[in-house]
Amino acid sequence: MADPNARKDDFAAQAGAGRESLVGEFTAFLKENKKWWLAPILIAILGLGLLVLLGGTAAAPFIYTLF
């Protein structure tokens, strides 16, 4: 059985560490779980969301010329 004090020390070390950004946490998730196929899907969804947001601004005429 593992030493309970070692587990407590590990938890305290992780709690005292700095916070990771959302992008850093997502890339760490992709590396750890080997789910690289999620990256293009997320990039496409973010790109479409950006087009929707820019569609309501003064940049809309420039976006519409792309299609």
Side-chain angles (χ1 to χ4, degrees), residues 11-61:
F11 179 75
Q14 288 182 3
R19 293 192 60 171
E20 196 172 355
S21 69
L22 181 63
V23 175
E25 191 171 333
F26 184 69
T27 54
F29 168 77
L30 292 178
K31 286 179 187 177
E32 185 176 323
N33 294 313
K34 308 282 191 273
K35 296 194 182 280
W36 290 108
W37 56 271
L38 285 174
I41 295 171
L42 184 66
I43 291 170
I45 290 172
L46 290 174
L48 286 173
L50 183 66
L51 283 175
V52 167
L53 288 176
L54 290 176
T57 64

